[in-house]
Each structure stands twice: as structure tokens, then as C-alpha cells.
Amino acid sequence: MISVLVVDPQPLQRFGFRMLLESSPDTEIAGEAENGAEAVRRTAVLRPDVVLLGIRMPGVDGIEAARRIAAAGGRSRVLVLTTSDMDRYALAALRAGASGFLLEDTRPEVLLAGIRAVAAGEAVVAPALTRRLLDAFADRLGDDLCGPVREDPRLDSLTGREREIFVAIGHGLTNGEIAQRFTLSESTVKTHVGRVLAKIGARDRIQAVILAYDLRLTLPV
């Protein structure tokens, strides 16, 4: 069973999420919270698999809550709900440590699929959409994106091939596209991707893409 902490300031919204999760055979409600501060506290106690988190909340908002939950280093992963796939707050949540985001009006089956994917360690943003999101808000990714590659000890730990894979991830390529580019099998690419994520300390591909931008390994087009 996938345990989910539902965080939303609106009781009716939380009730709807509860009904949906309880209707699915592989998900269950770990608890509820109505704001970010409560979400952080309850995550530490309940240790849910997934924290379903709204962004706009009174007091500690969803971005800060995602940052605190990720910084705690627990197993709980954050799935953010936002009003727009180009919402600048969604990007901020991803940078804070969220594993993905979905629209608030997404279909129930899509939301359940997203929860399952996040619980399995995947990122709930398609690579192409990740690239589009980052390109749209490249001006918020840091100062002087046109400068040289930033030195970082995490890069020193990568082999030459792993660095190529890292750059390809940063460009938003799928495993299949990376395999085609470097004439590798998809299983080999999957192994390389796993090693890259572990070495750079990224929770998922989204975090790897953001780091690639921050280090200027890949730039907006």
C-alpha cells in the first residue's frame, strides 16, 4: 500500500482526495494537514510514501514545506498540485525538492498514476515538459547563465560517459533518446542514469536537470 499525506487548506478538497485514495486498492490515507508547517510535522511523524501538497497555503507555503521535507532526508516524496503547468511556483517547488507536479484539475486516474510513480522513485513530469518549464523560467534559475561551466565536486565523481549522460539528461532526453544518441542499449542507459543520479545526489531526473542548468552544463534554447 502507498501511504499518502494530503495537504490542502480546504476541507472539501481534502475530503475529495481522501475519497479517491480510499477507493483505490493500492493507496491509503496516512493523514491530513491544512498548511505547510503542519505538513512538515506530520511527515516527520507519519513518514508517508507521498506528500500530496498544494502550493498556495497560509503561513508556510508548499514551496517551503517541500524544501523542509526534502532537507529532512526521509523517504517521503513530494508531489505538488498547481494551477498551471507553467506556474513559476511549480518550478520553485521542483528546485526545493519536489519530485513532480500535476495540475489541480487533473483527472483522478492521472493523479493516482502520478502518486504511484512518485512512490516508485520516478519523476512526474515528462522530460520534454521539464525542458519547456525550465526554458520558460530560465531567468529564475540563477544569475549569468551564459558564463562558463561552474566547477563542482560532484562532476569530478563522474566518468566521461556518465558526464555525457548527465548532460543528455539536462537536455531533457529520454532513456531511449540517450540510447540512440550514444548507440547504447536502454538497459545500459538506465544503469548509467542510476549511477549519475546517485553520484550527483539527485533524487530524480528533475533534480538532475535543474543541477545541469545551475552548473551551466546545459542552457536554454
Side-chain angles (χ1 to χ4, degrees):
M1 294 289 285
I2 301 170
S3 59
V4 182
L5 175 66
V6 174
V7 186
D8 194 282
Q10 301 299 324
L12 189 58
Q13 281 282 81
R14 297 198 304 272
F15 177 77
F17 290 135
R18 173 181 285 277
M19 295 295 291
L20 174 63
L21 293 167
E22 289 180 345
S23 71
S24 175
D26 60 346
T27 59
E28 63 180 0
I29 283 279
E32 299 180 13
E34 62 181 20
N35 56 60
E38 186 181 2
V40 174
R41 290 194 299 269
R42 301 217 72 191
T43 297
V45 173
L46 299 172
R47 301 181 67 240
D49 297 307
V50 178
V51 180
L52 189 60
L53 186 66
I55 290 181
R56 295 172 180 83
M57 292 183 290
V60 176
D61 64 14
I63 297 171
E64 179 59 25
R67 181 178 295 109
R68 294 182 190 181
I69 291 170
R75 69 187 184 112
S76 301
R77 303 175 74 86
V78 176
L79 177 59
V80 167
L81 292 178
T82 182
T83 57
S84 168
D85 64 357
M86 297 308 291
D87 189 338
R88 65 186 180 90
Y89 295 109
L91 174 59
L94 296 180
R95 297 198 72 189
S99 294
F101 68 88
L102 292 172
L103 299 182
E104 290 179 351
D105 61 354
T106 192
R107 297 190 307 276
E109 64 271 20
V110 175
L111 176 58
L112 288 172
I115 289 170
R116 295 183 187 109
V118 166
E122 300 173 12
V124 187
V125 180
L129 183 55
T130 302
R131 181 62 190 259
R132 183 162 63 89
L133 178 73
L134 291 171
D135 284 350
F137 294 102
D139 61 317
R140 297 184 177 91
L141 290 174
D143 298 328
D144 190 21
L145 280 172
C146 296
V149 173
R150 291 189 171 112
E151 295 300 321
D152 189 285
R154 287 170 291 187
L155 295 180
D156 296 336
S157 67
L158 301 177
T159 66
R161 174 62 80 190
E162 288 168 351
R163 181 162 175 149
E164 291 176 333
I165 297 292
F166 181 28
V167 172
I169 293 172
H171 282 291
L173 299 186
T174 65
N175 283 0
E177 291 168 336
I178 294 173
Q180 185 175 23
R181 171 172 291 190
F182 297 113
T183 318
L184 300 170
S185 69
E186 287 200 41
S187 61
T188 298
V189 171
K190 185 176 180 180
T191 298
H192 279 308
V193 169
R195 289 174 179 166
V196 168
L197 296 183
K199 288 184 176 182
I200 65 176
R203 291 166 63 91
D204 48 47
R205 293 176 84 107
I206 290 177
Q207 299 301 309
V209 170
I210 292 172
L211 179 61
Y213 269 72
D214 284 342
L215 297 180
R216 303 192 184 106
L217 290 173
T218 183
L219 301 175
V221 295

